[in-house]
Amino acid sequence: ELFAGKATLTAEWRRQGGKALAPVEVYEDPHTRTGYVKAHDLLLPENRQAHLHRAKCGPENIGWVAAPCTSYCDWNLENGGSRTFQQPEGGDGRPLTDKELAGNALSEFAADYFEDMLDNNGFPFAESSGSSGRYPKQWDLPRWKKVLSRPDVDWVEFRMCAFGLGPPDEENAYYQHLT
């Protein structure tokens, strides 16, 4: 489980009797961004290369990769984001923000990991924000378009609850977003 957050998938996998490698998350507490774990920092080339090697040679054979999607968020229309559908990597005549540079590096790594695992008889999953039509998403990057065009890849877009949040005046109603 890469970009694991609280690693709930790994925990449930193990609870169900499965074996799993240690989940990879750059912070011990990702919500407060505290407890930096250098060995899990996938912005570091050596860490990315280690996972790409394991996706090709094992022991990683089932993988969940969910690169951070904040640099692809629709709010970037208001917050100075430079991604366009014509140039989903960003720029569009402006310098890339640090968030966009990191988003590109992590999303491209995720695509490489996904494809390396597929090419070596693994079973990868990838998760990120779904399309809104307002602002480019990870899936609009050339590397992901290549992955998604493969005949052995299925694309499923569905609504997920936004972290259990909902309107305060509607009990059991939740905000949803495409994933």
Side-chain angles (χ1 to χ4, degrees):
E1 186 177 2
L2 304 180
F3 310 102
K6 294 288 188 175
T8 55
L9 292 174
T10 300
E12 182 59 21
W13 183 268
R14 287 176 175 158
R15 193 180 77 73
Q16 294 292 329
K19 293 193 306 187
L21 298 171
V24 176
E25 175 56 52
V26 70
Y27 295 109
E28 289 175 11
D29 185 351
H31 296 294
T32 61
R33 294 184 176 212
T34 56
Y36 174 75
V37 182
K38 184 177 180 181
H40 290 186
D41 188 343
L42 293 172
L43 284 172
L44 299 175
E46 61 270 21
N47 292 342
R48 291 194 305 266
Q49 288 305 315
H51 284 283
L52 292 175
H53 178 76
R54 289 194 291 264
K56 290 177 186 174
C57 303
E60 295 179 21
N61 61 357
I62 298 174
W64 179 275
V65 59
C69 57
T70 55
S71 73
Y72 303 98
C73 175
D74 290 347
W75 281 106
N76 288 309
L77 287 167
E78 303 295 327
N79 295 333
S82 69
R83 298 185 189 281
T84 64
F85 287 100
Q86 296 75 29
Q87 195 166 342
E89 300 92 340
D92 198 34
R94 297 176 277 167
L96 296 177
T97 65
D98 288 344
K99 191 180 282 188
E100 289 169 331
L101 288 168
N104 288 345
L106 296 174
S107 292
E108 289 175 8
F109 158 73
D112 290 342
Y113 178 85
F114 192 96
E115 199 158 34
D116 284 350
M117 189 169 280
L118 274 178
D119 290 343
N120 293 283
N121 300 314
F123 198 84
F125 294 85
E127 184 267 327
S128 191
S129 295
S131 301
S132 69
R134 295 183 303 237
Y135 198 73
K137 306 299 181 203
Q138 168 180 284
W139 317 114
D140 295 304
L141 295 172
R143 283 291 294 120
W144 273 105
K145 284 189 173 279
K146 179 179 178 258
V147 170
L148 295 174
S149 71
R150 290 178 56 141
D152 56 347
V153 172
D154 287 330
W155 162 268
V156 179
E157 195 168 66
F158 57 94
R159 296 194 176 282
M160 285 186 66
C161 176
F163 306 106
L165 301 175
D169 57 343
E170 293 184 51
E171 190 174 330
N172 298 320
Y174 299 99
Y175 297 128
Q176 296 181 7
H177 64 96
L178 283 178
T179 298

